[in-house]
C-alpha cells in the first residue's frame, strides 16, 4: 500500500526549483531597492513609480482577460473609485489627526475596488464574451458621466486634491519627497505581484483558466462558471483599487480622467501588448507602455496615433504580445539553433525600418496639413527637422513606405522559413515549443 501511495502522490518540487522560485523574488526586491541608487533623479523616480502603478493595474486586468477570458472596457471604474476614496480618506485622516500612516491607506482603495466590484460584478459576470464587454462599457460610461455630475464627491473637472504629508509619520518619513513615494509604490507593487501570482497557483486560479477555455465542461464537472467569473472579478477590482490609490497618492489628486475610457484603453493596451498568455506579460507591457507614452509624447504631437498603430500591429502579427514573441525563441535558445535565425532577422530589419520611417514621414506631413495647415511648413518630429511642403519629402515617404513594404514582405518570408527549420531541429532534439 505504501508503495502504491508513493507512486500516486505528486512529486515534490526539487530543491533547485524552490531556490530558483524564491531567488526570483529576492532579486526583484534587491533590484527595487537599488534602482534609486543608480537612477536618482526626480524624473527617474517618478517614472519608476508610474511603472509600478501600471504593473499592478495591468496584472489586475489580466485576472479578467488573460486568466478568465473576460474582455472589459471599464476596468478604470475600480481604479478611479479607489483613487477618489483614498483622496477623501487622506483629507479625513489629516483633518482629524487620526493615527493612520500613509502606507496603510492604499488598502482603502483596494477595499473600495473590491466593494464596487462585488456590487456591480454579480450582474456583469452573468455572461462572458461580448455581453460582458458591453456591460462593462455601459457601467464605465455611467460612472464616468457621474463624475462630472456629482461634484460634491468627484469635484467636477478639477477633481479632488489632498496633502499626503499631513498623515502620521512612519519612521520619520512624511512621504513628501519622491524617493519616499517610490519606495512606497515599490513595496506595494512587490506585495501585489506576489499576491496575484499566488492567486494563479490556487484552485480558483486554475478554475479561472478552465472557465476561460471551456465553461461548459466546468459546469459539467460541478462548478458554476458564473461564480468563478464573479470571484475573479472581485479580486481584479481589489488590485485595481490599490493601483488607483497609489496613483492618487503619487499625484495627490484624483479627477475624472481616472475613470475615463482612455484609462481603460491604456490598461488594455499594456496588458495585450505585453502578452496575456503569460503572467509576466502585463509586467512587460506596463513597462513598455509607460516608457513609450513618456517618450513619444515628447517627440510628436500625435503620439496616441502611434499607440493605436502599434496595438493594431500586435493584434495582427503578434497576438501573443512581446512576451509571446520572446517565448517563441526559447526552444531555439535551448537547442542552440537560434544563430541560424538571427541573420534572417538582421536582413529583414533594414527594409522594415525603412517602411516604418516612410510611415512616420507620411503621418507627420499629413497631420501637419490637416491639424496645423497655417503654420510654417518646417516641422520637427522624433528629433528630426524637415520641410513638410518639400516634394522631396513626400517622394521619400512614398518610396520608403511602399518599397520598404515590398522588400520587407519577401525578407520576412525568408525569416519564416528559417524559423521553421530551426524549430524542426529543436523538435528533433526533443525540445518542445
Amino acid at each position: 500500500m505504501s508503495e502504491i501511495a508513493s507512486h500516486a502522490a505528486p512529486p515534490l518540487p526539487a530543491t533547485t526549483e524552490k531556490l530558483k522560485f524564491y531567488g526570483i523574488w529576492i532579486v526583484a526586491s534587491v533590484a527595487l531597492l537599488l534602482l534609486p541608487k543608480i537612477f536618482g533623479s526626480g524624473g527617474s523616480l517618478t517614472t519608476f513609480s508610474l511603472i509600478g502603478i501600471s504593473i499592478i493595474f495591468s496584472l489586475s486586468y489580466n485576472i479578467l482577460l488573460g486568466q478568465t477570458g473576460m474582455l472589459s472596457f471599464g476596468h478604470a471604474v475600480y481604479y478611479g473609485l479607489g483613487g477618489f476614496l483614498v483622496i477623501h480618506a487622506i483629507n479625513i485622516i489629516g483633518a482629524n489627526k487620526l493615527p493612520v500612516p500613509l502606507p496603510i491607506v492604499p488598502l482603502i482603495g483596494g477595499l473600495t475596488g473590491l466593494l464596487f466590484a462585488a456590487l456591480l460584478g454579480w450582474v456583469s459576470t452573468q455572461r462572458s464574451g461580448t455581453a460582458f464587454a458591453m456591460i462593462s462599457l455601459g457601467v464605465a460610461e455611467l460612472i464616468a458621466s457621474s463624475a462630472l455630475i456629482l461634484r460634491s464627491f468627484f469635484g467636477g473637472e478639477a477633481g479632488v486634491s489632498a496633502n499626503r504629508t499631513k498623515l502620521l509619520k512612519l519612521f520619520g518619513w512624511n512621504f513628501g519627497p519622491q524617493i519616499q513615494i517610490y519606495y512606497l509604490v515599490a513595496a506595494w507593487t512587490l506585495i501585489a505581484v506576489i499576491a496575484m501570482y499566488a492567486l494563479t497557483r490556487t484552485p480558483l486560479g486554475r478554475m479561472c483558466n478552465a472557465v476561460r477555455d471551456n465553461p461548459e465542461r466546468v459546469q459539467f464537472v460541478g462548478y458554476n462558471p458564473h461564480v468563478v467569473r464573479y470571484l475573479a472579478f472581485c479580486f481584479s477590482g481589489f488590485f485595481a483599487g490599490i493601483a488607483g490609490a497609489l496613483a492618487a497618492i503619487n499625484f495627490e489628486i484624483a479627477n475624472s480622467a481616472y475613470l475615463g475610457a482612455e484609462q481603460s484603453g491604456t490598461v488594455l493596451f499594456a496588458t495585450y501588448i505585453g502578452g496575456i498568455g503569460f503572467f509576466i506579460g502585463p509586467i512587460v507591457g506596463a513597462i513598455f507602455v509607460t516608457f513609450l507614452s513618456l517618450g513619444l509624447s515628447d517627440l510628436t504631437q500625435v503620439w496616441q496615433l502611434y499607440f493605436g498603430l502599434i496595438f493594431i500591429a500586435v493584434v495582427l502579427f503578434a497576438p501573443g504580445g512581446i512576451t509571446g514573441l520572446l517565448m517563441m525563441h526559447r526552444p531555439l535558445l535551448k537547442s542552440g539553433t537560434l544563430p541560424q535565425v538571427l541573420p534572417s532577422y538582421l536582413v529583414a530589419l533594414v527594409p522594415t525600418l525603412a517602411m516604418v520611417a516612410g510611415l512616420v514621414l507620411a503621418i507627420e506631413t499629413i497631420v501637419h496639413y490637416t491639424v496645423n495647415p497655417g503654420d510654417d511648413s518646417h516641422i520637427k518630429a522624433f528629433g528630426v527637422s524637415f520641410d513638410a511642403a518639400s516634394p522631396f519629402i513626400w517622394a521619400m515617404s512614398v518610396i520608403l513606405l511602399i518599397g520598404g513594404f515590398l522588400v520587407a514582405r519577401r525578407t520576412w518570408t525568408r525569416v519564416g522559413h528559417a524559423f521553421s527549420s530551426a524549430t524542426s531541429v529543436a523538435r528533433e532534439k526533443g525540445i518542445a515549443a
Side-chain angles (χ1 to χ4, degrees), residues 37 62 65 82 86 104 117 119 153 167 182 210 266 282 323 353 365 378 386 395 397 409 417:
K37 306 296 182 182
N62 198 49
L65 182 59
V86 160
I104 300 177
L119 292 175
F153 181 79
L167 271 64
Y182 162 78
T266 301
T323 310
L353 291 178
T365 50
H378 291 83
F386 57 91
S397 65
R409 189 175 181 181
H417 293 315

Side-chain angles (χ1 to χ4, degrees), residues 144-175:
S145 60
S146 300
L148 299 176
I149 298 172
L150 305 176
R151 294 178 177 271
S152 59
F153 181 79
F154 292 104
E157 294 181 357
V160 183
S161 60
N163 186 352
R164 66 192 181 220
T165 61
K166 291 185 176 180
L167 271 64
L168 179 68
K169 292 184 180 181
L170 187 67
F171 304 115
W173 284 19
N174 65 350
F175 295 97

Side-chain angles (χ1 to χ4, degrees), residues 108-395:
I108 299 175
L111 293 175
T112 302
L114 175 62
L115 173 63
F116 282 95
L119 292 175
L120 301 173
W122 187 257
V123 176
S124 302
T125 56
Q126 290 282 349
R127 301 283 299 276
S128 60
T130 305
F132 172 79
M134 293 300 100
I135 292 173
S136 67
L137 180 61
V139 171
E141 291 301 318
L142 176 65
I143 301 298
S145 60
S146 300
L148 299 176
I149 298 172
L150 305 176
R151 294 178 177 271
S152 59
F153 181 79
F154 292 104
E157 294 181 357
V160 183
S161 60
N163 186 352
R164 66 192 181 220
T165 61
K166 291 185 176 180
L167 271 64
L168 179 68
K169 292 184 180 181
L170 187 67
F171 304 115
W173 284 19
N174 65 350
F175 295 97
Q178 187 62 40
I179 180 66
Q180 297 178 8
I181 292 299
Y182 162 78
Y183 280 119
L184 173 65
V185 173
W188 271 103
T189 300
L190 188 63
I191 293 170
V193 169
I194 293 174
M196 282 185 273
Y197 180 78
L199 180 63
T200 65
R201 315 301 294 179
T202 62
L204 175 61
R206 302 300 189 188
M207 290 308 302
C208 288
N209 298 153
V211 168
R212 175 197 64 195
D213 298 333
N214 197 332
E216 292 81 8
R217 189 169 183 178
V218 169
Q219 191 169 13
F220 179 77
V221 298
Y223 290 91
N224 189 341
H226 173 221
V227 173
V228 175
R229 288 195 294 264
Y230 176 67
L231 292 175
F233 192 84
C234 291
F235 277 108
S236 178
F238 174 75
F239 289 108
I242 289 178
L246 291 172
I249 290 172
N250 181 57
F251 295 110
E252 295 183 293
I253 190 173
N255 52 37
S256 58
Y258 281 43
L259 301 161
E262 183 178 349
Q263 196 73 45
S264 295
T266 301
V267 71
L268 169 61
F269 180 87
T271 306
Y272 195 90
I273 198 172
I276 60 175
F278 306 90
F279 179 80
I280 198 176
I283 299 176
V284 175
I287 296 172
F288 176 80
V289 168
T290 303
F291 277 119
L292 191 67
S293 59
L294 294 175
L296 281 180
S297 59
D298 293 334
L299 296 175
T300 176
Q301 296 180 351
V302 290
W303 58 274
Q304 291 176 319
L305 174 61
Y306 292 103
F307 258 49
L309 292 175
I310 293 172
F311 184 75
I312 292 172
V314 170
V315 172
L316 290 177
F317 303 109
I322 297 174
T323 310
L325 286 176
L326 295 176
M327 295 303 290
M328 284 172 55
H329 296 81
R330 189 178 180 184
L332 307 187
L333 185 63
K334 286 185 175 181
S335 63
T337 57
L338 185 60
Q340 300 179 16
V341 187
L342 292 180
S344 301
Y345 280 145
L346 294 176
V347 172
L349 182 63
V350 176
T352 302
L353 291 178
M355 179 183 65
V356 171
L359 180 64
V360 169
L361 273 177
I363 290 174
E364 295 296 334
T365 50
I366 292 172
V367 167
H368 172 74
Y369 281 106
T370 54
V371 178
N372 305 310
D375 293 351
D376 184 18
S377 61
H378 291 83
I379 60 177
K380 186 176 183 179
F382 295 92
V384 179
S385 301
F386 57 91
D387 185 5
S390 172
F392 174 74
I393 295 297
W394 286 86

